[in-house]
Amino acid sequence: MSLFQNLRQALIEKKISAETLAQRCLALARTRNPKLNSFLEFRETEALSDARLADLRIAAGERGPLLGIPMAIKDNILIEGSQASAGSKMLAKYRAQYSATVVDRLRAAGAVIVGKTNMDEFGMGSSNENSAYGAVRNPWNEDCVPGGSSGGSAAAVASGVVPMALGSDTGGSIRQPAALCGLVGLRPTYGRLSRWGLIAFASSLDQIGPIADSSLTVAAMLDASSGFDPRDATSAKKEGTDIFSKLEALSKTLPASEVFSGIKIGFDPSQLGDGVDESVRARFLETLNDWRLGGAEVLETPLPNAKHSLAAYYLIASSEASSNLSRYSGLLQGYRSEKFSREASLQDLVASSRSEGFGPEVQRRILLGTFALSSGYYDAYYKRAAQVRRLILNDYLSALKTVDFFVSPTTPSTAFRLGEKSASPLAMYLSDIFTLPSALAGLPGVSFPMGLGSDGMPLGVQVISAAWSEEKLLNFVRLNEVYRAESSVLPVTNQNNGGLLS
Ligand code: GLN
């Protein structure tokens, strides 16, 4: 059973109160934090009062899956009264005046938010080393990165401090850290979860989503937080999902050879070439074989334009970021340079506030994006990237006509060492190679554990499906968990309760 299931059972059977659980969770988080640096803020008072409320609801007979369950939230998602730095010095002093829609909905479902998690500055990064508040470490090996940009959320879950957290994914920031920390991470279809109250990085790509210890937890979080929100212009007019109870009911009834029968799975062998670690390739091919043995049909479905996704993504994301981040001038919003004086010109004030408030990666993206959007270059760069984006979506649409899922490894390697890629932005960008195409296409994608690399660190497999098919996607992950977990193919994370239930 996952940590989430253990906690839920203990709460329902009243072996522990939500209040005690929140206290233990905060205590554990504080012990782990000096090393992991996964939390930027603890919400002691608010968490305990939310937990007491959950206890009353449980006592009154309510049984919602998230009641009393502790969780963490990435620091670019607003909670009224809490900090929301987005990992940047620019927003060091900012406290949110309102809560994100997803936060309101999760709290209404009874989740207890214990803290805000560290992240790459404004979501820009793949290792969590770009935070103004220091790098996060991977609980599986503290010399390694947890992945990024939702690295604090992933490390909080992988360390057993909480069973679930929210992250955000612009080009892979939920799936990539989930993979490197041995967890399940879902990037929902663009428009599935409201972005109201999410600090913008690249608006046409940003999606909030869950990182958790199992597909059940992810489903419960999605059910609680999804659904139309009139305050977000890109929120889809869709009902919230209702997946958790169906997944919970799924039990082992099929013979091993029929578990995946009727399911068609596509992959593109050309994605497994240079730049992909040998142990990743080997583990991925074994996973394909496991599915074949379980009755699935595995087909080759090329995505010919996916190779352009890195170039297209970094143009589009940087362009949108340069526009979104222009509001932080040190005048109305954001950090103001100490150099401000009567003599300084407005230009000097803005320039020094932005130079001191933004870190090097954010400045690099702003420069790139401003250049790409400048007149005379717009057609050559942004417009062309937008056209490539459409071609990538077309590739998926044609692949998904013949298969249910398109699969690949989530990352080209296991978690790398801190500092290993910081000197080369391009090497860092390449770690997103598998997660970028579906983000550009706006399609849902999940990463879940597919075993360990030769270094003993977790690996993830990524599954992409048609828009709005999260139920089908999570059902597939659940099948894998139910049938394959104890075959030791998958590392089962969070089996120990981290002392929360001792
Ligand atoms: N690593 C990618 C980037 O740096 C994606 C980040 C994200 O999804 N927020 O932009």
Side-chain angles (χ1 to χ4, degrees), residues 43-95:
R43 300 178 76 250
E44 200 99 45
T45 318
E46 302 86 342
L48 294 181
S49 82
D50 280 359
R52 281 191 289 273
L53 206 62
D55 281 328
L56 291 175
R57 291 171 65 181
I58 293 169
E62 276 191 57
R63 286 296 174 263
L66 297 184
L67 266 181
I69 306 286
M71 76 174 296
I73 303 258
K74 188 175 181 179
D75 208 30
N76 59 352
I77 300 172
L78 309 191
I79 307 175
E80 188 184 344
S82 282
Q83 73 159 61
S85 72
S88 182
K89 182 175 171 187
M90 189 51 93
L91 290 174
K93 292 192 183 149
Y94 175 62
R95 299 198 85 79

Side-chain angles (χ1 to χ4, degrees), residues 255-261 286-298:
S257 60
E258 288 172 26
V259 179
F260 302 113
S261 71
E286 279 165 40
T287 306
L288 290 182
N289 208 36
D290 288 345
W291 289 329
R292 267 191 214 101
L293 294 174
E297 198 178 330
V298 178

Side-chain angles (χ1 to χ4, degrees), residues 74 76 119-127 130 148-150 168-177 187 201-202 205-207 313-314 317-318 361 365 428-429 431-432 435-436 439:
K74 188 175 181 179
N76 59 352
M119 57 180 283
D120 283 306
E121 186 174 2
F122 286 102
M124 299 177 195
S126 313
S127 66
N130 293 341
S149 65
S150 313
S168 66
D169 189 306
T170 304
S173 286
I174 287 174
R175 294 161 287 161
Q176 195 254 20
R187 175 193 166 93
F201 163 10
L205 292 154
D206 298 342
Q207 257 302 282
Y313 170 84
Y314 278 94
S318 303
E361 183 59 26
R365 308 266 183 121
M428 191 69 87
Y429 297 171
S431 58
D432 306 329
T435 53
L436 297 174

Side-chain angles (χ1 to χ4, degrees), residues 43 71 73-84 94-108 113 116 166-168 193-200 208-209 224-227 229 231-232:
R43 300 178 76 250
M71 76 174 296
I73 303 258
K74 188 175 181 179
D75 208 30
N76 59 352
I77 300 172
L78 309 191
I79 307 175
E80 188 184 344
S82 282
Q83 73 159 61
Y94 175 62
R95 299 198 85 79
Q97 299 102 317
Y98 65 95
S99 293
T101 301
V102 291
V103 164
D104 283 341
R105 289 181 180 175
L106 286 161
R107 286 181 70 204
I113 302 170
K116 301 296 299 286
L166 275 186
S168 66
L193 258 60
S194 167
R195 291 187 295 113
W196 172 260
L198 169 68
I199 295 175
I208 294 174
S225 54
S226 60
D229 176 11
R231 289 177 297 187
D232 169 4

Side-chain angles (χ1 to χ4, degrees), residues 109-429:
V112 175
I113 302 170
V114 297
K116 301 296 299 286
T117 55
N118 203 346
M119 57 180 283
D120 283 306
E121 186 174 2
F122 286 102
M124 299 177 195
S126 313
S127 66
N128 222 306
E129 293 166 293
N130 293 341
S131 166
Y133 306 98
V136 176
R137 289 170 185 269
N138 190 316
W140 288 71
N141 176 347
E142 289 170 358
D143 295 329
C144 292
V145 304
S149 65
S150 313
S153 289
V157 179
S159 58
V161 166
V162 284
M164 59 185 191
L166 275 186
S168 66
D169 189 306
T170 304
S173 286
I174 287 174
R175 294 161 287 161
Q176 195 254 20
L180 301 190
C181 289
L183 303 168
V184 183
L186 172 75
R187 175 193 166 93
T189 311
Y190 183 79
R192 176 71 97 181
L193 258 60
S194 167
R195 291 187 295 113
W196 172 260
L198 169 68
I199 295 175
F201 163 10
S203 311
S204 77
L205 292 154
D206 298 342
Q207 257 302 282
I208 294 174
I211 297 180
D213 59 358
S214 81
S215 64
L216 276 181
T217 325
V218 164
M221 289 174 76
L222 189 70
D223 289 352
S225 54
S226 60
F228 176 63
D229 176 11
R231 289 177 297 187
D232 169 4
T234 56
S235 165
K237 291 212 167 69
K238 299 252 175 206
E239 296 279 299
T241 57
D242 179 15
I243 305 176
F244 173 78
S245 53
K246 292 169 201 157
L247 294 198
E248 202 189 24
L250 203 154
S251 63
K252 238 177 169 163
T253 48
L254 296 168
S257 60
E258 288 172 26
V259 179
F260 302 113
S261 71
I263 298 180
K264 288 188 180 156
I265 297 171
F267 77 109
D268 183 347
S270 75
Q271 291 190 323
L272 302 173
D274 283 352
V276 179
D277 278 8
E278 190 42 50
S279 72
V280 174
R281 189 181 304 118
R283 202 56 220 100
F284 177 68
L285 294 174
E286 279 165 40
T287 306
L288 290 182
N289 208 36
D290 288 345
W291 289 329
R292 267 191 214 101
L293 294 174
E297 198 178 330
V298 178
L299 306 166
E300 293 189 7
T301 46
L303 293 187
N305 293 293
K307 57 177 178 294
H308 304 304
S309 57
L310 193 96
Y313 170 84
Y314 278 94
L315 271 167
I316 293 172
S318 303
S319 298
E320 294 183 14
S322 75
S323 166
N324 274 326
L325 271 53
S326 63
R327 72 190 72 169
Y328 306 112
S329 60
L331 298 174
L332 289 176
Q333 297 199 49
Y335 167 88
R336 179 174 296 172
S337 170
E338 301 280 325
K339 289 185 193 141
F340 181 59
S341 72
R342 230 178 263 258
E343 295 78 47
S345 69
L346 187 61
Q347 170 116 20
D348 287 342
L349 171 62
V350 172
S352 42
S353 298
R354 287 169 68 83
S355 305
E356 293 163 24
F358 288 134
E361 183 59 26
V362 174
Q363 295 192 33
R364 180 163 26 247
R365 308 266 183 121
I366 292 173
L367 287 173
L368 179 65
T370 308
F371 176 78
L373 290 181
S374 53
S375 84
Y377 291 108
Y378 174 88
D379 283 347
Y381 294 114
Y382 189 82
K383 192 171 158 200
R384 201 150 173 80
Q387 288 165 337
V388 168
R389 184 176 190 176
R390 178 68 218 194
L391 295 178
I392 294 169
L393 171 60
N394 289 348
D395 282 355
Y396 278 111
L397 294 180
S398 79
L400 292 168
K401 266 189 204 139
T402 41
V403 293
D404 299 286
F405 304 117
F406 181 86
V407 300
S408 70
T410 309
T411 57
S413 72
T414 53
F416 41 93
R417 301 203 153 245
L418 282 135
E420 193 178 318
K421 297 193 182 180
S422 0
S424 160
L426 191 61
M428 191 69 87
Y429 297 171

